[in-house]
Structures are given as C-alpha cells and as structure tokens.
Amino acid sequence: MIQLLNKFEENKIMERRSFLKMSAALGCAATVTGCNSSSDDANVVPPTPPVGDEQITWSSCLVNCGSNCPVKVFSRDGVITRVETDHDITDGDDIYQVRACARGRSLRQRTYAVDRLKTPMKRVGKRGEGKFVPITWDEAAKTIGTKLTSVIAEHGNKAIFRSYGSGAYYGFASNACFNRLFNLNGGCLNAYGNYSWAQQMEAAKHTFGTGSTSGSSTVTLSNSDFLLGIAYNPSEIRQSGSGEGYDYLKALQKSNGLKVVMIDPRYTDSMLGKESKWLPIRPGTDAALAEAIAYQMISTGWVDANSLDFINQFTVGYDAASIAAQQAIFAASSDKKEQEYAQVMNPDDNYRDYILSAGIYAGEPLKTPEWAEKITGIPEAQIKQIADDLMASQRPYIVVGAGVNRQANGEQSMRALYMLSVLTGKLGNLGASNGELPYMSGMYRAGIPAGSNPVKESISFFTWSEAIHNGKTMTARTHGIRGTDDLDTPLGTNIKVIISASDSSLLNQHAEINNTADILRDEENGVELIVSCDCWMTPGAKFADIILPDTSWLESNDLVNDSYASGALGYITAMKSAIDPMWDCKSMYEAAALIAKYMGCEAEFTEGKTEAQWLEELYQKTKDSSRNLGVVPAFPATYKEAQAIGFFRKNMNDNHVAMQSYIKDGQALTTPSGKIEIYSAELAWRAANWTQENSAQNPSGIKGDTITPIPQYTVTWDGYEDEDTKVDYPIQLAGYHTKGRTHSSYHNVPWLREAVEDAVWVNPMDAALHGLSSGDKIEMYNQRGSIAVKVRVTPRVAPGVFALGQGAWYSPGNTVGSTGHTLDEGGAINSLTRYQPSPVAKGNPQHTIRVAIKKI
C-alpha cells in the first residue's frame, strides 16, 4: 500500500508538469498479440500538451460489484488528469458520501491502459493466438450482420447466443443494445441463472419462494441480538462507501454488544476484530455444520418446546404428518402438476427423521456435533455453542454468502443452512433474517427498451460451452432446458454465433479454461463466429473472430443508478464524458446500430433518435418515477442540466424484514404449497423425472450430484470427504473475491496489482508441512490444469486449505505442467475448476477444487 501511495504522489507530480496525449503515446499496431498486465508494466509518460482550464465531470465505476459508485473526473485539454470520489457533502444519518474503492479511483489508469482496444479488428491467426489486423467499422458491422442473417436462415435464432456478460453495469449504452438488435430479428437463445447466485436462487425458490436476495435489509441488523454469518464478507465484496459493507459497519456500531460469529475458511476484512468469534470451516462442508446445529436444537427438545407451533403453522416437511397433509391437498387438486407432485411425495422422507436418524434413516449416523467436527473441522463444543446462541436469541440474523452456493451441489448446502432460521421460529421479526442475502432497494433508472425475445427456450447460463457441440440433443430432463414442449423435446440446434459484450465468462470466468479454450478453437464443427465487444484485450477477446472496441466509462454519456447491492442509499449518476472517445472506439449502442444497418432494421433500432435524444427521453422517465421522489438535489428539467450537477441521492428508508409479509401479514408464498417448504414437492418431482448423475439408477455417476426433496449433506466429487481424489490432490483450494478486482475486471491496472497481491494464502502449519515460505513460487495443479502462483504464509486461512483470489487473467506460457497442461503463468483459478453443472440449477460449482503443489 505504501508503494501504491508513493506511486500515486509521483503521478500527481507528473500531472502538474505534463498531461496525457494518448493518440501520440499509443499507436495502433497492425497486429495485436496481447499484453503483460503484471505490476511490472511501465506507466506511459506522454508528451506535454498545452495547458487549458480544468474541467470537472461526473462518471461512474460500473463493474459488477453491485454499487455503481460515482467518480469525479478532472480533465484538461481533452486529457484526464485525475479521478476522485464523492466528498461533496457531510455524512449524516440518511444522506452520506458514496466513496468509491481503490478500483474506481484507478479509472484513469484503466482508461489509459496499454492494452486498450483502439479499432475494429479481425482475426488472422488461429483462435486464441491473439493475432488481428485493423478493419473499418463498416467492414466489421457488415461481417457480423451478414453472418447473423445467414446463420438465422440456416439454423434458426436459437443458434445465436449473447454470452453472459456483467463487466459493465451500464444504463443506456449497455449489452442490452445487442438484446434489442436480436429481438428485432427474431430473438436469440435465452439463458437463465448467473455465475454468482445460480444454486442459491434455486435453493431459495424451493424453500421460501424467493430469489435468494430477500433477506432482511442490512440496516435491520442493528436490531438483532445474534449474527451468524456463513461466508458473509461485505467489507471486501461490497466495498462501496455507501453499500452493503457500509451498512454492515454502521449496524454493528449501533448494535452494541451484538454477538457476531463468522464461519469462513478465511479470516476476512469483515472480521478484523468486529467479530466475536471466527470459526474456520473446510470448504463444501457447510451442510454438515447446519445438520449438527439442527440436531442440537431438535434432540434437546428445544424445538418441541419453543418453535414447533411456528413450524407446524408455516412450513411443510418437518415431519411425516405435514407432508402427508400437503400430499392430500395436491392429490385433490385439479391442477395436473400438483397431482404429479402428490404421486411422488413420500411422508417417510421428512426432515426430523433425517436429522435424528429415525424412520427410513435409522441406519445412518447421528448428525451430532461430534460427527460434524470430523467433517467441518469446527470443534464439537463450538458447534454446540452456536446452537445454544441460536436457541437463546430472540432476533437471530442468519446470512449465508454466495460462496457457499458455488460448490458441488451447492443447492443442498444453501437449503441446509436456510433451515436454521426456520428452526428458531423467529422469522418475521425485526432483527431476524432467514439466511438469504440482504434485500436491497434502489432508485429507478429507465433503460433502452430491448423488446421481447420471440425465442422461448432457455439454457442454463453455465451450459453454453456444452451447447456449442451438444445443443441439438440437450433436453429439460438431461440439462434443465426451459421452454421446450416437454421433458424430452431437444433444444434442436447448436450454438453457431456468440456475441460477447463486457464479458469474461467467454473464457476467464468460465470453468475449466483449458477445455473451454479447446471448444472455442474448433472452427470446423463449433462456433462459426465469435464477436467480442470490449475495451481491453482480455483473455477471451483473443478468441474472437471480430473485435469491436467499446468506449470506456470516462468517455461516455450515460444514466446509471445504484445497482443491486448499494445498501440503504439510492442514487443516480448523470454521466458526462470527460474526454471524447479515443481512437476509433464506439459505444455498444453505436456498434449495434451499425450491425442493424446490415440486418435491415436500422430504422427500427434507432427509431430515428440520436444517443443524446435517447438519453433525454430516458432521463425524463427516470425523473418522473415515483420511486425517485425526494431525491437530493432535485432533478432539473433536462438531462444536460442533470449532467452539470452529476450526482443525485436519496435514502430509500427500506427496513425490509425477511418473511414478514408471510408470517405477520398472511401473504402466501409462491412455493407450490404457499408455505416454507422444508420438503420441496417440486424437487421430489425433479428427483423422479430428471436424469440425476448420481442416483439409484446411476450409482456409478458423478459423486454427490443428486436431487432430494429435503436438504441433505452430500459427499461430492473433489470435496473434503472425496476418497477418490484426496490422495493425488490432497489440498482443498478456496477461491475468493479480492479487493483489487471485481471478478476479472481491473486486473490490467498495475497500481491495483501492487496494492492487492496475487498470492495464494497458506496457513503456517501447511507451510511447514510443504516446506514453503512467503514469496516462494509454486505450481498448483490437478487433472484439469496447472497454474503458477506466489505463496503468502498467513494464519488467516484454515489449515488444510489454500486460498486464492479469483479473476486473474489466464496467460499460458511455454512450460508444460505436471499433468500435461500448459502452465498458466497468469494464475487464473479457473484453469483448475471443473465443468460439472449442479444437479438442480445446472449452475457452476467453481469453488470445489482439489490440487497438488510443487515448488517452481
């Protein structure tokens, strides 16, 4: 950090003497071969331009961290000189500063990065080599538009796929522009779910009928008397000066004496003395912990004496009687699906019997704290203490971070942990929460209308790489395809065109990078056209056939709100470009409009409006929204006037309490029963009808990939108890979000690489066992790949677990690793992760990793 601050001061001095003229400093090379984005990259020192008056404009950091923080941009003579954050007001209880983290403050470096894309390009080498030559925008648009038209004619619109991209949460000129383009031409293949929350969304849906982000608002934590956080890390994940991390800190300050127990393989910045106790846990064993806590609550008689009436009134599935009663209701229904539910429901398969090893589970081990200690690594006494704390609490706030759901069969772990809130019987009360991520409200912002997609079929976001070669045969029964006529009607086509916009899931953030790269390289039988629209030469952009250079945020006029995890404070930023678009960059709106010209729908796409006219129209809709009443300062009459002000805020004063509308107000849930479902009839139906990769019908299938109607701890592939892999790959590797990147965004900023070290965390006990010291370089490998990383020895990680920040850019070198794969010198954790869609959500299990190591 000292080195970062010194460099900051050094550059401030440089700025007083000379200013960037990037067109002179950075030429457009005829062939691009990528770049080295390490902290050794030299900063470009440009020539000195004439000095004019300093201009101040507002922009925003729009990466997918959930905050969209505003930034104040200073420029002279068309050159950005510095970036500051919001400090225009004095903090109060309701209205306060929205301070960007180090990422937002480094936007000048990111805008002027040496690997900025400057002109449209087409590939001249093999896919993945990163060899391109410049072309005109007209040639690029014609190539794309012509290919889209021909593929649609030959294969149908389902062969077109816009890959999941969250690298820029724009308002207007976003990847929604490509959705609008496709929908004007018959649509494209839909995708459901996302890389962050897929399994927890299914878990919450089949438990509470919600989407997994309906937990009590973070601000209500100040009314709690016990916080149990599992993989909950808002201080690093949500760093914004007004977001969830800010609300978390303020709530802890207000709730003096609150007991805080944090369960995580890492000692995170959300602890650092703010916690009462840190309990390190082995990755993927959270369901075993939950079951042992539940065992204590039930076996001691506490549930019968204190919460059984609540359970009987508001839930289905705790015991056999509740399942039988619901089964009878479904059987008498005229609804076909409910009748099918009744046919597969089994009252003997109930939660109480499972936890107590009774009834059909009589032969299984008791789910005691002693049993769980051997699995989780958390001492028996500490597990009992958590149960005691939950039973003693009147307002227990339970929250489960998304890292739990990104495990093999993470659906089971999430549902198991959600059960703890149900067993307490305290749901619906201020200060209590149900385990879901906290609910967030925000200001309304109008966006460009994308229209409706005529294509009805959807694949899971995670299965796109499989659909390149196998889309024709994928069905609802085998792959969870949605929108088909029945379980066995196939999707019917493979993906032939991929449009990747603000997207690193094309390669870097997708599982099993080496295998994904092989799929993308297949030009003969695979994708016929890959288009990357981005600002930088990312690892995925190197696999494109056509590259479209997007404008950066500091070059853009736009209208953005506070995104999805900004806490209690809502805000709108009327972005004004600090500089004109550099080189030959164009916004996504302009790019999509040019392609529309060659697809015969330019007039329909633009509706005859310029970007400025669109923004004025969207601003008026935003200004008139009732949700935005009371904004400070008041919205002016026009968008141009709003740009001059820049930033508008309003405390949403939303004290949402999880399950209150159901428990207190009597509003039925959207589950099939209308109640909290400990036993899910839908999951019972899927278990009976979907192809499970581990079941009685397929006992040699994928270990742990099974669907059950009640939550159950499952031994999975590559998990702690997986005997098949633990000998060859004895170390559990935990991935986490670093403060220096949002996923893979910002990795190419040298300042951030210096401030936030890319190193694998190793406990001192493991360092001694393996003969490692801080600064050593090691190869971490498994059957899927090899990566080179530096070691940092620290007690802030559980013994037996190594921890590595995700999102580093894939950079294969010339060395062959221990399992025959090219050594990834960039240290991308997804070189080691497995493509194995989860059983219910068909989501990503990319936190389940086992590795071996050796010194380099």
Side-chain angles (χ1 to χ4, degrees):
M1 182 58 75
I2 292 173
Q3 186 177 6
L4 173 64
L5 292 173
N6 288 340
K7 187 161 240 170
F8 178 77
E9 291 303 320
E10 174 185 307
N11 277 268
K12 292 268 286 187
I13 294 170
M14 182 272 288
E15 288 167 1
R16 297 186 187 105
R17 297 174 181 168
S18 63
F19 302 93
L20 291 172
K21 278 295 183 184
M22 298 307 294
S23 58
L26 299 175
C28 179
T31 301
V32 179
T33 58
C35 72
N36 172 15
S37 60
S38 76
S39 60
D40 296 327
D41 291 339
N43 287 329
V44 175
V45 180
T48 304
V51 177
D53 293 333
E54 188 172 58
Q55 305 295 317
I56 301 175
T57 54
W58 283 90
S59 188
S60 185
C61 174
L62 301 176
V63 289
N64 180 12
C65 76
S67 284
N68 282 2
C69 291
V71 291
K72 188 182 291 187
V73 186
F74 295 78
S75 61
R76 276 197 181 102
D77 298 308
V79 175
I80 299 164
T81 57
R82 69 184 191 275
V83 173
E84 296 184 4
T85 188
D86 172 36
H87 52 72
D88 284 6
I89 65 169
T90 301
D91 285 346
D93 288 335
D94 289 330
I95 301 295
Y96 35 85
Q97 297 173 15
V98 182
R99 298 182 183 178
C101 73
R103 296 181 298 234
R105 296 173 196 229
S106 72
L107 272 171
R108 174 176 171 273
Q109 285 68 37
R110 195 174 189 231
T111 301
Y112 289 136
V114 295
D115 57 355
R116 273 294 300 268
L117 299 171
K118 306 173 184 69
T119 184
M121 294 187 287
K122 68 177 179 181
R123 175 174 59 87
V124 293
K126 296 180 180 179
R127 277 193 190 146
E129 287 185 332
K131 294 181 179 179
F132 300 87
V133 295
I135 57 176
T136 65
W137 271 100
D138 193 65
E139 181 182 350
K142 184 176 181 179
T143 300
I144 297 167
T146 302
K147 187 63 176 179
L148 285 169
T149 301
S150 66
V151 167
I152 290 171
E154 182 177 356
H155 300 285
N157 290 80
K158 286 183 289 185
I160 309 300
F161 186 67
R162 184 182 73 73
S163 59
Y164 175 93
S166 66
Y169 267 49
Y170 289 91
F172 163 67
S174 66
N175 47 30
C177 294
F178 289 107
N179 292 346
R180 178 178 173 87
L181 170 67
F182 295 149
N183 292 342
L184 287 170
N185 289 277
C188 63
L189 180 61
N190 288 292
Y192 66 86
N194 61 56
Y195 281 84
S196 294
W197 298 341
Q199 298 188 67
Q200 70 183 46
M201 287 193 294
E202 285 292 303
K205 174 184 176 181
H206 300 303
T207 305
F208 304 117
T210 55
S212 84
T213 57
S214 296
S216 298
S217 300
T218 314
V219 293
T220 67
L221 178 58
S222 61
N223 301 103
S224 178
D225 56 4
F226 177 55
L227 167 61
L228 177 62
I230 303 98
Y232 184 57
N233 184 20
S235 295
E236 291 182 88
I237 306 300
R238 315 292 188 206
Q239 292 181 78
S240 164
S242 78
E244 183 181 353
Y246 180 87
D247 288 353
Y248 167 71
L249 292 175
K250 297 295 287 185
L252 291 184
Q253 291 170 3
K254 292 179 180 178
S255 184
N256 293 325
L258 175 70
K259 185 169 186 177
V260 177
V261 174
M262 300 294 258
I263 298 169
D264 199 299
R266 295 171 58 242
Y267 188 76
T268 70
D269 284 11
S270 295
M271 301 177 213
L272 296 183
K274 298 183 284 289
E275 83 290 358
S276 308
K277 188 170 293 181
W278 168 47
L279 298 174
I281 189 171
R282 293 173 179 135
T285 65
D286 306 272
L289 171 67
E291 291 177 2
I293 297 170
Y295 177 87
Q296 282 297 108
M297 298 176 73
I298 296 171
S299 66
T300 59
W302 186 90
V303 166
D304 285 348
N306 294 276
S307 61
L308 189 58
D309 288 345
F310 173 93
I311 291 170
N312 288 338
Q313 182 177 355
F314 295 109
T315 77
V316 171
Y318 179 72
D319 55 21
S322 65
I323 299 173
Q326 189 61 49
Q327 185 179 27
I329 294 172
F330 285 152
S333 171
S334 59
D335 183 89
K336 180 181 177 181
K337 190 62 177 286
E338 291 186 353
Q339 292 175 357
E340 291 180 5
Y341 287 157
Q343 293 173 7
V344 298
M345 293 173 72
N346 179 10
D348 291 335
D349 192 5
N350 62 81
Y351 185 75
R352 188 180 187 280
D353 282 356
Y354 169 72
I355 293 296
L356 298 180
S357 299
I360 62 173
Y361 294 103
E364 294 194 4
L366 289 172
K367 309 301 186 293
T368 64
E370 181 184 14
W371 163 82
E373 177 181 354
K374 297 185 178 86
I375 299 169
T376 65
I378 297 177
E380 173 187 0
Q382 298 293 351
I383 296 174
K384 290 180 177 179
Q385 185 60 56
I386 296 172
D388 288 344
D389 289 336
L390 282 175
M391 291 186 286
S393 172
Q394 295 304 305
R395 299 174 302 281
Y397 192 107
I398 302 172
V399 57
V400 185
V404 174
N405 98 116
R406 292 188 291 268
Q407 295 278 354
N409 210 335
E411 296 97 338
Q412 293 282 39
S413 294
M414 296 301 297
R415 293 176 66 218
L417 290 165
Y418 288 162
M419 286 303 100
L420 298 181
S421 68
V422 177
L423 293 178
T424 68
K426 301 299 192 307
L427 286 177
N429 295 313
L430 181 65
S433 195
N434 65 342
E436 291 186 68
L437 292 177
Y439 174 82
M440 303 282 170
S441 58
M443 293 181 68
Y444 168 78
R445 183 266 306 159
I448 188 169
S452 58
N453 190 347
V455 173
K456 62 181 181 178
E457 292 90 350
S458 295
I459 63 171
S460 161
F461 71 97
F462 189 58
T463 59
W464 65 267
S465 58
E466 189 173 352
I468 289 173
H469 289 126
N470 300 317
K472 278 187 177 182
T473 59
M474 290 165 62
T475 67
R477 191 186 302 277
T478 61
H479 289 81
I481 303 296
R482 298 179 182 177
T484 54
D485 292 337
D486 53 44
L487 285 172
D488 297 309
T489 298
L491 181 62
T493 187
N494 295 338
I495 292 174
K496 294 298 180 181
V497 176
I498 294 177
I499 305 294
S500 171
S502 298
D503 165 35
S504 275
S505 68
L506 184 65
L507 188 75
N508 210 80
Q509 299 306 101
H510 194 55
E512 209 163 333
I513 285 178
N514 290 309
N515 181 59
T516 303
D518 287 340
I519 293 171
L520 295 178
R521 289 189 187 103
D522 182 6
E523 298 179 53
E524 183 177 351
N525 300 304
V527 180
E528 296 176 8
L529 177 68
I530 300 174
V531 177
S532 177
C533 182
D534 215 316
C535 296
W536 304 273
M537 182 58 77
T538 66
K542 294 177 184 178
F543 282 77
D545 301 303
I546 300 291
I547 287 178
L548 303 178
D550 190 15
T551 50
S552 73
W553 307 324
L554 306 193
E555 300 162 78
S556 302
N557 298 296
D558 214 323
L559 188 68
V560 297
N561 64 353
D562 47 294
S563 197
Y564 61 87
S566 60
L569 192 70
Y571 42 90
I572 295 281
T573 306
M575 295 168 53
K576 180 176 174 59
S577 58
I579 56 176
D580 292 332
M582 293 188 290
W583 304 293
D584 199 13
C585 298
K586 294 184 184 296
S587 71
M588 284 194 230
Y589 174 80
E590 294 175 293
L594 286 170
I595 298 169
K597 172 183 175 182
Y598 287 100
M599 299 188 76
C601 61
E602 182 180 17
E604 293 85 353
F605 182 87
T606 66
E607 297 183 13
K609 302 169 191 171
T610 64
E611 279 200 18
Q613 289 171 326
W614 271 111
L615 285 165
E616 181 62 39
E617 178 180 312
L618 298 176
Y619 171 73
Q620 294 302 325
K621 292 179 180 178
T622 301
K623 180 171 69 74
D624 294 341
S625 170
S626 59
R627 196 193 303 176
N628 297 344
L629 291 175
V631 66
V632 178
F635 286 130
T638 67
Y639 174 66
K640 187 175 182 180
E641 292 173 295
Q643 284 182 298
I645 297 171
F647 190 55
F648 307 84
R649 67 194 98 201
K650 171 189 176 182
N651 195 301
M652 306 309 290
N653 290 314
D654 197 328
N655 292 295
H656 173 79
V657 175
M659 297 286 108
Q660 185 180 63
S661 61
Y662 172 53
I663 304 298
K664 302 294 186 182
D665 303 333
Q667 298 178 18
L669 302 179
T670 59
T671 56
S673 66
K675 296 182 176 183
I676 296 170
E677 296 198 348
I678 301 174
Y679 182 103
S680 168
E682 170 64 23
L683 292 183
W685 182 87
R686 292 189 190 184
N689 290 280
W690 281 18
T691 301
Q692 295 184 69
E693 298 207 58
N694 185 263
S695 64
Q697 293 74 32
N698 187 25
S700 61
I702 306 302
K703 184 180 297 183
D705 272 24
T706 186
I707 303 172
T708 60
I710 59 172
Q712 296 180 349
Y713 167 67
T714 307
V715 176
T716 70
W717 53 268
D718 283 14
Y720 173 71
E721 293 193 275
D722 182 15
E723 299 296 334
D724 295 333
T725 54
K726 68 180 354 178
V727 174
D728 291 336
Y729 305 109
I731 299 165
Q732 283 192 282
L733 178 61
Y736 66 92
H737 296 285
T738 83
K739 297 185 289 294
R741 284 187 293 268
T742 299
H743 305 300
S744 64
S745 296
Y746 283 102
H747 178 76
N748 57 336
V749 178
W751 282 13
L752 293 174
R753 298 286 63 72
E754 293 175 11
V756 184
E757 182 183 40
D758 278 325
V760 62
W761 287 14
V762 179
N763 185 276
M765 295 171 61
D766 293 312
L769 176 66
H770 296 284
L772 300 176
S773 300
S774 287
D776 286 348
K777 200 167 187 179
I778 62 172
E779 176 194 358
M780 289 199 299
Y781 63 92
N782 57 26
Q783 63 269 46
R784 294 177 284 276
S786 295
I787 65 174
V789 291
K790 186 165 64 173
V791 169
R792 178 59 55 198
V793 178
T794 173
R796 292 179 61 177
V797 64
V801 179
F802 285 22
L804 180 66
Q806 61 95 19
W809 283 12
Y810 173 69
S811 180
N814 298 314
T815 305
V816 176
S818 297
T819 53
H821 299 279
T822 301
L823 184 67
D824 171 19
E825 296 175 353
I829 198 170
N830 285 318
S831 293
L832 305 171
T833 57
R834 177 175 177 171
Y835 174 81
Q836 179 59 50
S838 65
V840 176
K842 306 304 179 185
N844 60 308
Q846 288 168 248
H847 284 325
T848 299
I849 317 170
R850 275 194 168 277
V851 297
I853 66 166
K854 72 175 184 180
K855 284 187 179 181
I856 297 177

